[in-house]
Amino acid sequence: MSATLVATLGSGGIVGFTLGLVGGGGSILAVPLLLYVVGVANPHVAIGTSAVAVSVNAFANFTVHAWAGHVWWRCAAVFALFGTIATLAASTLGKAVDGRLLLFAFGLLMIVVGGLMLKPTKTTEAVVRPVDLRMCLTTALVAAATGAASGFFGIGGGFLIVPGLILATGMPMIQAVGSSLLAIGTFGLATALNYAASGLIDWVVAAEFVAGGILGGIGGTMLGARLARRKAVLNRIFAVLILAVALYVLARNALVF
């Protein structure tokens, strides 16, 4: 087994493991891992390749949630539709941006994500909103904003989509998680197709990364079930990891200015 294969499987495993363990945010590690561990030289190829992994993982988990009845189909479809349009536009813009500048902006995004994960969350009862014009417009606006971030950086964006769905519709958390996975899957697919059209995906690496993610996800889910009571601690540990990686990404690309 080659060193590159081990690095790719291991990196995919780390992403899958963190997703299974803490339930979100893990995909933001995909691009740095592909660049600095696997050795993908082109930042745009890393983003396109990670988008494939994000999409496959999201659709796999979406199937589980849909089977369990955790999806509000109408809201999920509206969110995915408007967000995917924004994703296509933003991913096209991302391809045109200099790779190092894009990575520097990515590092800043990681700091935001890590900060949000460190912030204590309050459990409040969701108030379901009526399906009217105001709700649809709010859903479309939030979807466009999250889709743009997802397409530009090649991330899943669940950390934005889940609270966005709750804000727009008032759906309970478990339904927001399930419904968000349809959007994450379609956003990732749109980004992947856009980058694939420009030849910016390493399909072999993508397949190996997904395989590692599946194995890691099984282990993370099993351990996460045992450590469910320590979820807040796990989130904080993972947030610190994201911040550390963010500082590394920023340091590697600071000379862009």
Side-chain angles (χ1 to χ4, degrees):
M1 185 179 292
S2 68
T4 301
L5 177 58
V6 172
T8 307
L9 289 172
S11 297
I14 290 172
V15 172
F17 182 80
T18 53
L19 284 170
L21 186 63
V22 302
S27 61
I28 202 169
L29 293 175
V31 171
L33 285 169
L34 285 168
L35 286 169
Y36 306 124
V37 177
V38 178
V40 175
N42 188 332
H44 292 104
V45 173
I47 289 175
T49 303
S50 72
V52 176
V54 166
S55 181
V56 171
N57 181 79
F59 280 131
N61 286 285
F62 173 73
T63 302
V64 176
H65 279 274
W67 185 264
H70 296 159
V71 177
W72 283 17
W73 288 96
R74 183 161 49 178
C75 295
V78 169
F79 201 98
L81 173 63
F82 284 95
T84 300
I85 294 172
T87 298
L88 287 170
S91 58
T92 300
L93 176 61
K95 290 191 297 182
V97 175
D98 177 77
R100 295 194 67 182
L101 178 59
L102 189 60
L103 288 176
F104 190 85
F106 188 88
L108 295 177
L109 175 69
M110 292 184 75
I111 289 179
V112 173
V113 175
L116 290 174
M117 292 187 72
L118 283 174
K119 182 180 179 180
T121 57
K122 297 180 180 179
T123 304
T124 57
E125 185 177 353
V127 179
V128 179
R129 293 171 176 78
V131 181
D132 53 17
L133 179 60
R134 180 179 179 182
M135 174 183 155
C136 290
L137 288 175
T138 303
T139 302
L141 288 173
V142 175
T146 55
S150 178
F152 189 74
F153 295 108
I155 59 174
F159 66 96
L160 291 172
I161 296 173
V162 171
L165 278 168
I166 295 174
L167 171 68
T169 68
M171 66 175 63
M173 174 63 77
I174 187 61
Q175 274 74 27
V177 171
S179 300
S180 74
L181 290 167
L182 176 62
I184 295 171
T186 56
F187 292 178
L189 179 60
T191 301
L193 290 175
N194 201 345
Y195 274 70
S198 301
L200 295 173
I201 292 179
D202 188 324
W203 291 104
V204 174
V205 170
E208 294 169 353
F209 200 89
V210 168
I214 292 173
L215 295 175
I218 294 173
T221 300
M222 293 174 63
L223 183 60
R226 294 183 179 183
L227 301 177
R229 294 182 179 179
R230 300 180 183 180
K231 184 72 176 291
V233 176
L234 293 173
N235 279 336
R236 291 190 181 95
I237 293 174
F238 183 56
V240 172
L241 173 62
I242 289 179
L243 291 172
V245 175
L247 293 175
Y248 180 77
V249 172
L250 290 173
R252 286 288 297 264
N253 297 279
L255 293 180
V256 72
F257 298 107

